[in-house]
Amino acid sequence: MRFRLSKQSLLLTAAQAAVTALMLPSMASAATPDPFYQYTGSTPLADIAPGTVLKSRTISVYIAGIKTSMQATQLVYRSTDAKLRPTSNVTTIFAPDCAKVSCANKNKVISYQSFYDSLNPEDGPSRAYAGGKRLPDLLPAVETVLFGTYVKKGYTVVISDTEGQGANFAAGPEYGYNTLDSIRATFNAPQIGLGRDAKVVMMGYSGGAIATEWAAELAPSYAPDLKPNLIGAAFGGTLVSPEHNLTYVEGAPIWGGVLPMAVIGVSRSYDIDIQKYLTTRGLEVYNKMQKASIAYVLGQYSRVTWKDLVKPEFQDRTKIKEYVEAVNKVIMGTGGTPEIPLQIGQGTGGIWEGTKPSPVWGAGDGVMLAGDVRTLARQYCAQGVPVQHKEWGTSHFTTMLNWLPWATSWIDDRFAGKAAPQNCSSIAVGNPLTPLVYKP
């Protein structure tokens, strides 16, 4: 497999396609469902082990709607949703063709979790790489720049549709299960040809950090078979406690729409009918967002607040039992303790993207709260996990530029077998991550 596109040309391609997409609304039209994604076998999914490959195909890879010389393998595999029900999901694998290039690095695996953030299943990265031409399909194009160096070096790179086939945005545990089972499926696919001793590092930023962190904390209980393989997780811009973030982004000029997106996604994941709690305005936003990508949400909902969305009797969220139970389940650090080293990066300059510091939770990067991330890091430190934590005074978008080279260097050291660094003693005290209490 050849990786001919440079970082510069990929960025240019993505930028050109973005301009085209904005000028041609037809690119945002609904995609035709691809039958490949659906499991149609006769054996019930409940009788199939998580991580089992259900279907596979080879695709020519598209970047921002443009066909490239790359090829990738796509797998439909058995996974699990947030309520522990069996599901099927899809992952895309870039693996070196040993007949054409050196396979010296093939057993070095990058599990890259995308920040495609959407409520539309058609926005999964697998759709984009298979030929998607919609505006949200540009995000995986940009992300190819982030992990493309590893593809070029002959590593095996795995990119799961972390939100699952229901696109349950912000539902952290579901992201984690999908990520771990995509790694299992990669090992289980004979055409990939991984050695059973192959080593895996997980990485992701923003929405990808949700999947990476949850996979790390769920792995000991959900996927203990991967313990010999997983050697680290690097993530940045992390959603630790969605309840805290709702108050932080509420009314923010760029990130305000994340509030209803997260409420819809978590409600879907835990089968909550939220419509009964909504005002007329809330129902309007709910209906408009049912299949919204973050590409169509950023900067569009600066005046949307919880008060606008929810009926007066539900202004106090602690009075909604379903909400309290669900939001507590998506607080990071509640699903277990990672058994691998972690690297965690976070920005604090959210004011540069128009989000003011929260009077309760402090500063963040515009959408994610730095104090929550500190507490999570300190919690894992106290549990004996080697954690390297760092903050930058930059906003969410620009922090990624700082995070990527830092994370890449750390990942390279994990594959080189070096001891994982930690700075636990210097991590400042953060916010309490106390679960909400239902108050009828």
Side-chain angles (χ1 to χ4, degrees):
M1 176 185 65
R2 296 181 181 180
F3 191 82
R4 295 176 179 170
L5 298 178
S6 67
K7 290 184 179 181
Q8 291 80 7
S9 63
L10 277 171
L11 285 172
L12 180 59
T13 297
Q16 290 172 332
V19 172
T20 303
L22 291 171
M23 294 176 64
L24 298 174
S26 62
M27 291 187 71
S29 61
T32 301
D34 186 336
F36 171 75
Y37 292 85
Q38 304 306 314
Y39 172 64
T40 57
S42 59
T43 303
L45 285 172
D47 296 337
I48 299 174
T52 299
V53 177
L54 306 173
K55 287 185 184 181
S56 67
R57 70 180 179 185
T58 300
I59 61 166
S60 294
V61 175
Y62 285 73
I63 304 296
I66 299 173
K67 188 176 182 179
T68 74
S69 61
M70 289 186 290
Q71 289 193 325
T73 300
Q74 292 192 326
L75 307 175
V76 178
Y77 61 95
R78 156 65 156 95
S79 194
T80 303
D81 72 7
K83 298 189 76 173
L84 302 181
R85 296 170 298 200
T87 60
S88 62
N89 197 41
V90 183
T91 193
T92 304
I93 304 162
F94 294 81
D97 183 344
C98 297
K100 298 179 181 179
V101 298
S102 169
C103 275
N105 291 324
K106 183 170 186 175
N107 284 324
K108 296 176 181 177
V109 182
I110 299 290
S111 176
Y112 178 83
Q113 283 63 252
S114 170
F115 50 76
Y116 67 98
D117 304 340
S118 181
L119 291 167
N120 190 341
E122 293 299 324
D123 292 338
S126 65
R127 270 77 163 180
Y129 292 127
K133 295 181 180 180
R134 304 169 341 114
L135 177 58
D137 294 329
L138 299 175
L139 293 176
V142 174
E143 290 185 290
T144 306
V145 179
L146 306 186
F147 64 77
T149 299
Y150 289 108
V151 175
K152 193 172 183 179
K153 290 180 179 179
Y155 287 51
T156 298
V157 178
V158 185
I159 305 115
S160 170
D161 291 3
T162 52
E163 296 180 9
Q165 298 211 52
N168 294 327
F169 173 69
E174 191 162 337
Y175 283 44
Y177 298 137
N178 285 326
T179 298
L180 292 168
D181 286 326
S182 74
I183 297 170
R184 282 169 156 165
T186 303
F187 276 100
N188 290 334
Q191 64 269 51
I192 303 301
L194 282 183
R196 296 310 302 182
D197 60 348
K199 302 305 178 186
V200 182
V201 175
M202 301 183 290
M203 69 180 297
Y205 187 82
S206 191
I210 299 174
T212 303
E213 195 286 334
W214 274 101
E217 69 172 88
L218 291 171
S221 60
Y222 181 73
D225 50 297
L226 292 179
K227 183 173 182 177
N229 309 107
L230 296 174
I231 60 172
F235 50 93
T238 308
L239 178 66
V240 177
S241 174
E243 162 63 17
H244 293 181
N245 287 76
L246 294 187
T247 59
Y248 176 52
V249 303
E250 189 173 53
I254 293 178
W255 294 104
V258 171
L259 185 159
M261 275 191 75
V263 171
I264 292 170
V266 173
S267 297
R268 275 187 194 170
S269 193
Y270 291 99
D271 293 338
I272 299 172
D273 176 15
I274 62 168
Q275 296 182 70
K276 61 190 175 187
Y277 302 115
L278 302 180
T279 61
T280 301
R281 172 59 173 156
L283 288 168
E284 177 187 338
V285 172
Y286 174 85
N287 291 328
K288 189 175 181 180
M289 276 198 175
Q290 281 301 297
K291 292 188 176 181
S293 162
I294 201 165
Y296 302 122
V297 169
L298 293 179
Q300 301 299 308
Y301 293 88
S302 61
R303 296 184 179 180
V304 171
T305 65
W306 182 262
K307 184 178 180 179
D308 297 326
L309 299 175
V310 179
K311 295 175 182 177
E313 60 267 36
F314 302 117
Q315 292 301 308
D316 180 352
R317 292 194 283 272
T318 64
K319 295 186 180 298
I320 307 175
K321 186 178 181 181
E322 294 174 301
Y323 174 86
V324 170
E325 291 175 347
V327 82
N328 286 342
K329 290 175 181 176
V330 295
I331 300 173
M332 286 183 174
T334 59
T337 301
E339 295 180 344
I340 53 177
L342 304 179
Q343 190 204 52
I344 309 173
Q346 180 60 43
T348 61
I351 192 68
W352 297 106
E353 289 176 9
T355 308
K356 298 177 181 179
S358 165
V360 178
W361 309 118
D365 62 8
V367 62
M368 310 300 188
L369 286 160
D372 287 7
V373 175
R374 291 181 205 128
T375 299
L376 181 71
R378 287 169 60 92
Q379 174 182 320
Y380 287 150
C381 284
Q383 293 167 335
V385 180
V387 177
Q388 184 183 47
H389 170 269
K390 187 173 183 177
E391 291 183 350
W392 295 271
T394 46
S395 64
H396 191 71
F397 290 122
T398 54
T399 296
M400 185 176 68
L401 302 178
N402 296 315
W403 170 81
L404 180 61
W406 184 63
T408 300
S409 177
W410 185 88
I411 288 169
D412 291 345
D413 285 346
R414 301 291 71 70
F415 284 119
K418 296 182 181 180
Q422 62 87 15
N423 62 336
C424 289
S425 62
S426 64
I427 302 173
V429 175
N431 300 321
L433 297 177
T434 310
L436 282 186
V437 176
Y438 173 54
K439 299 175 182 177

